[in-house]
Amino acid sequence: MSSSKHYDALETRSPAEREAQLMAALPRQVAHAQRHAPAMAQILAGVDAAAVDSRQALARLPVTRKHELLERQKAGRAADPFGGFAAQVRGPAMLRIFASPGPIYEPDGAARDYWRTARAMHAAGFCAGDLVHNAFSYHMTPGAFIMEAGAHALGCTVFPAGTGQTEQQLQAIAELRPRAYAGTPSFLRILLEKAAETGADAGSLRVALTGGEALPPSLRDWFAERGLQVFQSYATADLGLIAYETEARQGLVLDEGVIVEIVRPGTGEPVPEGEVGEVVVTTLNPDYPLIRFGTGDLSAVLPGACPSGRTNIRIRGWLGRADQTTKIRGMFVHPAQVADIARRFPEVLKARLVVSGEMANDTMTLKVEAVGPQPVLQGLQARLGEAIRDVTKLRGEVLLLQPGSLPNDGKVIEDARSYK
């Protein structure tokens, strides 16, 4: 393990100090995005950057989701492959350009540890002088470089293994004796199973930082039985590190370079602490200044502080996808439409559209948690039914429920149809 428990003093700031410093940096980042990223200037047109100095003010700004970023990139590709979201131009300030499925193009800045993954590696037990076997792909996508930049920032040496060629990778592990692994957990398991089958020596591996897939406790325990401590990271090509696992194994601690909100899917409205919603991130990266970027991932804030001594907010990890757009009777229904219906009635606390039956013969029921005097609630059902028709152009039933009746899983639209 590293000689220092924490990567830097930022991790142990008081929550009040961290929040004050993040909120002081926020208006500067908004102003920077308006000046240097044309797409963000359009999205934030008319916004007074100096006034965006609180989470309440941030929550009033629009959320930009990945499909919108892709649409802007496609529309403006002839002039700018990044669609106006990048604040840097090619040359010394932009080392590489990557392509993620879409394709969405992402810039790689020249800053040391551009994606800030050294913090996650440190928490996983990576040390200066370690050799890191990096099994993320080096082909077009940024995954390998996200990890490599963090490893170099920690003072590690990297073997660029990439993906596939299992036998050659095992030979390199046996001969180079790396202590650390970076890559997906599923490929790490393939390597270890193949080593056991062929007698290859993979025993030098002691720590791993994984990403790109879920790491269920059963698989983490499987690795531990073989002497390997494996940790999760949550990062994206757009945002860099968002959160990381510590030795406490209690959720993921947020990175120090991002401001994270959990919002109701299809909206930009923050949910109460502990409720599942979409992860929306504002990055303080000056090269790619994304403000309120919707990841499309579901998670929830965990109460309390991490037992590791890190004081930042924790989230539960990946809990599914937020885009629950569903086709009903030939019409697409979006989470934002469900939110629009609920927003029209102050009595409604929470709403969930359940689609049931069989394909081509389906029914939809809006389940609503509502509060208020009985006379108001008596008329609410009919008014909600009218709103469903108005917003979705479809007919649906309405079921009123007591507060707390709906599951806390982030679902706004539940597709419960039979596909037999």
Side-chain angles (χ1 to χ4, degrees):
M1 291 291 289
S2 170
S3 58
S4 174
K5 184 176 180 182
H6 301 116
Y7 182 65
D8 58 24
L10 295 178
E11 294 182 358
T12 55
R13 289 179 286 180
S14 72
E17 180 185 8
R18 176 181 293 105
E19 188 70 3
Q21 291 174 350
L22 288 176
M23 292 306 110
L26 178 58
R28 295 196 295 268
Q29 182 71 340
V30 171
H32 175 79
Q34 289 174 320
R35 285 195 304 270
H36 299 288
M40 292 308 311
Q42 290 180 9
I43 292 166
L44 301 175
V47 171
D48 177 7
V52 187
D53 59 357
S54 68
R55 288 185 181 265
Q56 293 76 18
L58 180 61
R60 289 192 284 270
L61 302 184
V63 173
T64 299
R65 293 185 164 85
K66 195 174 285 270
H67 70 89
E68 296 169 290
L69 185 147
L70 176 58
E71 288 163 8
R72 282 181 176 266
Q73 282 201 0
K74 285 181 174 178
R77 225 156 241 176
D80 177 4
F82 305 109
F85 286 95
Q88 296 287 1
V89 296
R90 299 175 196 177
M94 187 181 293
L95 301 183
R96 301 174 188 87
I97 294 173
F98 297 106
S100 293
I104 292 176
Y105 295 109
E106 297 110 358
D108 176 8
R112 181 176 180 268
D113 193 18
Y114 175 74
W115 286 279
R116 308 178 311 283
T117 42
R119 185 179 305 284
M121 289 180 156
H122 180 90
F126 287 48
C127 305
D130 280 346
L131 175 61
V132 179
H133 187 92
N134 189 1
F136 277 110
S137 174
Y138 278 84
H139 181 64
M140 292 194 183
T141 59
F145 294 89
I146 289 174
M147 290 294 183
E148 186 169 289
H152 286 160
L154 273 184
C156 300
T157 300
V158 174
F159 178 72
T163 56
Q165 300 178 298
T166 305
E167 291 182 3
Q168 291 95 321
Q169 293 215 27
L170 285 173
Q171 181 182 353
I173 290 170
E175 294 176 350
L176 294 175
R177 311 289 296 164
R179 179 175 172 271
Y181 166 92
T184 63
S186 60
F187 188 64
L188 178 57
R189 179 164 189 160
I190 288 169
L191 286 172
L192 296 184
E193 287 178 336
K194 188 69 172 179
E197 176 191 322
T198 61
D201 182 4
S204 65
L205 292 173
R206 286 289 176 263
V207 295
L209 184 66
T210 63
E213 299 170 351
L215 177 65
S218 59
L219 182 54
R220 187 183 69 200
D221 294 343
W222 187 90
F223 289 128
E225 289 166 5
R226 287 153 181 79
L228 188 53
Q229 295 299 310
V230 180
F231 295 79
Q232 301 176 75
S233 65
Y234 174 29
T236 74
D238 324 275
L239 300 160
L241 184 67
I242 299 171
Y244 60 98
E245 193 172 25
T246 75
E247 71 270 19
R249 307 287 193 180
Q250 295 182 18
L252 304 181
V253 177
L254 295 185
D255 179 54
E256 301 294 332
V258 291
I259 299 169
V260 172
E261 304 165 273
I262 308 292
V263 308
R264 202 168 306 287
T267 78
E269 302 164 8
V271 299
E273 183 175 309
E275 189 171 320
V276 176
E278 182 184 5
V279 178
V280 169
V281 181
T282 295
T283 173
L284 300 180
N285 176 3
D287 295 340
Y288 204 36
L290 298 174
I291 308 296
R292 296 203 92 201
F293 187 74
T295 63
D297 296 323
L298 293 175
S299 194
V301 170
L302 281 172
C306 182
S308 70
R310 294 169 178 85
T311 56
N312 208 342
I313 295 165
R314 296 176 300 158
I315 58 175
R316 285 174 56 187
W318 188 81
L319 299 176
R321 293 292 294 169
D323 185 7
Q324 300 151 23
T325 297
T326 305
K327 203 169 193 178
I328 306 169
R329 297 175 223 152
M331 300 280 287
F332 281 107
V333 178
H334 307 273
Q337 292 174 297
V338 179
D340 182 19
I341 294 166
R343 210 167 11 235
R344 298 180 179 202
F345 304 95
E347 303 88 355
V348 173
L349 302 177
K350 195 174 179 180
R352 181 188 188 105
L353 188 68
V354 180
V355 191
S356 55
E358 296 181 359
M359 292 295 286
N361 189 29
D362 42 33
T363 60
M364 64 183 201
T365 303
L366 186 67
K367 296 184 176 181
V368 170
E369 293 180 10
V371 293
Q374 196 56 39
V376 173
L377 293 181
Q378 284 175 348
L380 181 62
Q381 228 165 345
R383 290 184 291 135
L384 279 165
E386 292 170 5
I388 292 171
R389 288 193 299 275
D390 180 39
V391 173
T392 69
K393 313 307 178 194
L394 297 166
R395 290 183 179 274
E397 302 297 317
V398 176
L399 182 62
L400 298 185
L401 303 171
Q402 291 294 317
S405 301
L406 292 173
N408 179 24
D409 58 7
K411 284 190 178 178
V412 175
I413 301 176
E414 177 186 352
D415 192 343
R417 289 174 289 194
S418 170
Y419 287 87
K420 293 180 181 178

